[in-house]
Amino acid sequence: MRKSAKVNQVILIILDDVRAEHLFNLMREGKLPNITQIAEHGIICESCVTSFPSVTLPCYADIITGSNSGYYPKEGSGVPNYHWLNRTDPPSEKKKPPFIRNYSKRRGIFKINKDIGSNVKTIFEQAGDGNFLSATSFLYRGSTFTTSKEFKAELILKRIEDIYNNPGEIFADKEIPKISVGYIPHTDHLMHERGFDHPDYINLVLDCDKYIGSLIKTLKDTETYKDTAICITSDHGNYKAQKVYDLEPFFQEKGLRPYDPKIGAGDFDANLGGVGFLNFKGDTWQHHPTINQMKNFKPSGTGSSSLDLFKTLSEIPGVKLMYYGDDNNTPEKGIIYLERRDDKSGKLLKGRIEYYGIGKNQKTRYSFESEDLFSYVKYEEANALLDNKFHTIDEWVGATSQIDFINIIDQLPRHFKNPRSCDIIISTVGEYCFNYEHGKTKGSSLYSHDIALKKSMTVPLIIGGSPKIPILELNYCKTTDIVPTLLELLGFKPDQSVVGKSVLDYD
Ligand SMILES: [Zn+2]
């Protein structure tokens, strides 16, 4: 064991799409005895705050790197969303039109290993030499990837057990892995298909507890439990929208044609759940449009009339919020414009986020014209940050972790400074789920995750196992704190790209 270390190895288990509130309620009901056993003798947090948008990628990438999206040529994971358009900065001179990254495509998920770029490091790349194991963790850079022959949740954690029993199967020196990451995507599949309140989803979470119980037994049998940290978390929570709506006719009527990356033609590219991310053609498809270009946009599908896209998008049913960046933004400094349509009065409320600095040094200031767009004024701690001063990510997380629009002031600049970001974000605040991807409405599920509301933004964090791990209950923390915490337990310091801090350093 390293001199400053508390454990020899860590196992990080990510159950996709498990809301903090749901997991801790199941624990209180006595339905998750094995996870509870780990939690009772270790670190717990019922308000571990994930990244915005609260979708699998970037949230899962942010757990593995300890970083957020950002201006990836210099900093950040560079993965702004589950879908993005590859616009570069400066705009690429290549003739080829920018591609659409969609991680749902066959084998698309593995592309994340390159997409995160060289300015961030995975947890494996930050922990010195040794054996590193990814049990179906698709972001595996720096480790040995292994998966079960049959793609089942049960067998994914079993792979970690197998390797603890027989490390020689994949590691020549026969040493057990210093870091193992087990990632279970199946919980997410069932959440979208059937919902967080469906017995099939709940039973799978209960089953995961059993697999974790089996893993604990193997660790005890192999006498490794006492110097292993087991961390259990999720990438995001979830919510149920009230309505679905098919947006295909809406865009057709406006004369807006979906972008086709094969030929570089079309007016827009979009993906919309409860939150929508929209890209529009600028000077070319390699360029982001200016605000003026978006105010006077000429769609290719109609005659001569031009559209004010901000007005057009506000006509989408349920749209309440709209965010977009200033034309002169740089990675180091800029402004994000915020608009909210008041439900009752129909009044348009305006605000802005100003930011400076990159990575963990980014600071942001939120201000508004007449009324607060996020109801922060109602809450003492959040209201205290509306003081016309710039604040850090930790200040925003601390002040908003128990309310809606968690940390959105910090997260929007990190999103928009990325050349791969969209041009306009709209939000129905979870009222609608559009299931719209790149010109097509796909399905009619009401269950989603993407919004900055607490139910979608908070995940469970539990770290236990070795008796050397302190017993600690945190009021809040961030998913980017997981990497520095696990590294500290192993006796390593995180890479400078890491935005989070060890939870052992929280007051
Ligand atoms: Zn997910």
Side-chain angles (χ1 to χ4, degrees):
M1 197 176 294
R2 284 169 72 88
K3 216 168 134 197
S4 55
K6 288 185 163 46
V7 299
N8 273 333
Q9 54 276 328
V10 302
I11 300 173
L12 168 59
I13 297 167
I14 305 168
L15 308 177
D16 198 317
D17 206 335
V18 179
R19 198 195 296 184
E21 180 195 354
H22 291 158
L23 191 94
F24 280 97
N25 282 345
L26 288 170
M27 286 166 67
R28 281 187 272 269
E29 288 165 20
K31 289 178 178 164
L32 304 174
N34 298 299
I35 295 175
T36 304
Q37 184 196 329
I38 296 170
E40 277 174 349
H41 306 283
I43 302 164
I44 62 166
C45 182
E46 295 195 35
S47 295
C48 179
V49 174
T50 194
S51 318
F52 177 82
S54 47
V55 295
T56 302
L57 302 166
C59 292
Y60 155 67
D62 291 359
I63 294 173
I64 303 287
T65 61
S67 177
N68 282 147
S69 169
Y71 183 71
Y72 71 90
K74 270 192 184 165
E75 56 104 18
S77 70
V79 175
N81 208 342
Y82 203 88
H83 304 254
W84 45 264
L85 201 58
N86 189 43
R87 290 197 265 201
T88 52
D89 182 27
S92 158
E93 295 305 315
K94 285 180 206 158
K95 286 207 178 81
K96 231 175 147 192
F99 62 82
I100 294 171
R101 176 69 79 236
N102 174 358
Y103 292 112
S104 297
K105 288 223 164 140
R106 201 177 126 74
R107 297 196 69 79
I109 192 93
F110 290 103
K111 297 204 163 85
I112 183 80
N113 289 286
K114 275 206 174 136
D115 292 340
I116 60 168
S118 55
N119 293 308
V120 293
K121 293 189 161 52
T122 64
I123 185 171
F124 314 111
E125 295 169 324
Q126 298 184 47
D129 299 328
N131 295 336
F132 300 108
L133 178 71
S134 287
T136 317
S137 180
F138 299 110
L139 178 47
Y140 59 81
R141 209 174 70 184
S143 72
T144 302
F145 182 85
T146 176
T147 189
S148 54
K149 279 199 190 88
E150 284 175 87
F151 189 59
K152 283 183 180 171
E154 178 181 359
L155 298 174
I156 289 171
L157 296 183
K158 186 78 175 46
R159 277 306 284 156
I160 300 179
E161 280 185 60
D162 291 345
I163 304 305
Y164 265 72
N165 276 319
N166 178 24
E169 186 192 327
I170 56 173
F171 298 117
D173 62 5
K174 297 182 179 161
E175 296 285 331
I176 56 170
K178 191 194 277 179
I179 297 173
S180 307
V181 178
Y183 168 65
I184 311 270
H186 305 73
T187 30
D188 183 66
H189 297 167
L190 282 176
M191 207 304 292
H192 285 284
E193 227 173 70
R194 290 168 214 176
F196 53 75
D197 41 7
H198 194 282
D200 290 353
Y201 170 81
I202 296 165
N203 284 331
L204 182 55
V205 177
L206 268 47
D207 285 345
C208 286
D209 182 76
K210 292 194 190 100
Y211 314 146
I212 289 167
S214 174
L215 178 62
I216 292 172
K217 187 176 178 301
T218 292
L219 292 174
K220 287 185 173 166
D221 289 348
T222 54
E223 293 180 359
T224 46
Y225 189 79
K226 62 180 186 324
D227 45 34
T228 302
I230 304 169
C231 175
I232 298 154
T233 191
S234 182
D235 50 351
H236 50 76
N238 40 51
Y239 66 93
K240 186 180 184 181
Q242 296 155 35
K243 301 167 202 168
V244 289
Y245 186 86
D246 177 10
L247 278 174
E248 283 184 45
F250 176 89
F251 290 119
Q252 274 159 21
E253 278 161 29
K254 299 292 177 192
L256 290 164
R257 289 189 167 140
Y259 171 64
D260 180 351
K262 286 197 195 86
I263 50 172
D267 305 305
F268 80 112
D269 180 62
N271 65 91
L272 298 99
V275 184
F277 302 86
L278 296 109
N279 289 278
F280 296 95
K281 188 181 174 184
D283 287 343
T284 73
W285 263 111
Q286 300 286 359
H287 295 76
H288 285 281
T290 62
I291 291 173
N292 247 334
Q293 283 173 327
M294 291 193 282
K295 279 187 174 161
N296 301 284
F297 192 84
K298 184 129 180 12
S300 61
T302 52
S304 57
S305 62
S306 68
L307 294 175
D308 178 341
L309 291 172
F310 301 101
K311 194 172 161 289
T312 303
L313 296 180
S314 71
E315 291 166 20
I316 290 176
V319 167
K320 292 177 186 64
L321 285 156
M322 193 175 289
Y323 317 126
Y324 54 96
D326 188 68
D327 293 340
N328 299 316
N329 283 356
T330 69
E332 284 83 14
K333 196 170 182 289
I335 303 167
I336 310 300
Y337 299 107
L338 316 166
E339 294 181 5
R340 179 168 193 143
R341 183 73 60 180
D342 188 85
D343 272 351
K344 286 170 205 141
S345 64
K347 215 168 72 183
L348 186 67
L349 309 178
K350 290 189 174 185
R352 59 166 62 188
I353 300 168
E354 292 154 90
Y355 67 87
Y356 71 83
I358 63 170
K360 59 183 169 234
N361 299 316
Q362 178 185 281
K363 284 194 172 188
T364 49
R365 172 164 71 181
Y366 165 48
S367 58
F368 47 85
E369 283 177 12
S370 57
E371 277 174 60
D372 171 17
L373 287 75
F374 301 122
S375 298
Y376 286 166
V377 290
K378 287 196 223 158
Y379 304 92
E380 197 185 334
E381 285 178 69
N383 188 45
L385 297 191
L386 311 183
D387 57 357
N388 213 26
K389 291 189 179 121
F390 284 83
H391 296 285
T392 64
I393 183 170
D394 286 322
E395 288 177 287
W396 285 115
V397 168
T400 61
S401 68
Q402 307 304 323
I403 60 177
D404 288 333
F405 299 105
I406 295 183
N407 198 28
I408 195 156
I409 306 302
D410 171 86
Q411 293 286 289
L412 286 176
R414 294 183 194 274
H415 181 86
F416 278 114
K417 68 171 70 167
N418 189 337
R420 294 163 173 169
S421 85
C422 67
D423 300 308
I424 303 177
I425 297 178
I426 55 175
S427 175
T428 68
V429 199
E431 186 184 354
Y432 281 79
C433 182
F434 296 111
N435 298 294
Y436 183 90
E437 293 177 7
H438 318 294
K440 293 263 178 290
T441 296
K442 297 193 165 180
S444 55
S445 177
L446 288 168
Y447 293 94
S448 192
H449 49 84
D450 53 16
I451 53 180
L453 302 190
K454 183 168 169 67
K455 53 194 170 187
S456 195
M457 285 287 286
T458 48
V459 298
L461 179 65
I462 292 162
I463 306 173
S466 164
K468 287 189 187 158
I469 295 165
I471 295 174
L472 193 64
E473 186 172 352
L474 299 151
N475 292 328
Y476 64 87
C477 67
K478 327 183 276 302
T479 52
T480 50
D481 297 333
I482 294 171
V483 162
T485 306
L486 298 180
L487 288 173
E488 183 175 348
L489 292 174
L490 284 168
F492 288 90
K493 292 224 178 313
D495 184 64
Q496 49 83 26
S497 61
V498 169
V499 169
K501 62 177 188 182
S502 169
V503 300
L504 303 174
D505 297 337
Y506 275 75
D507 299 324

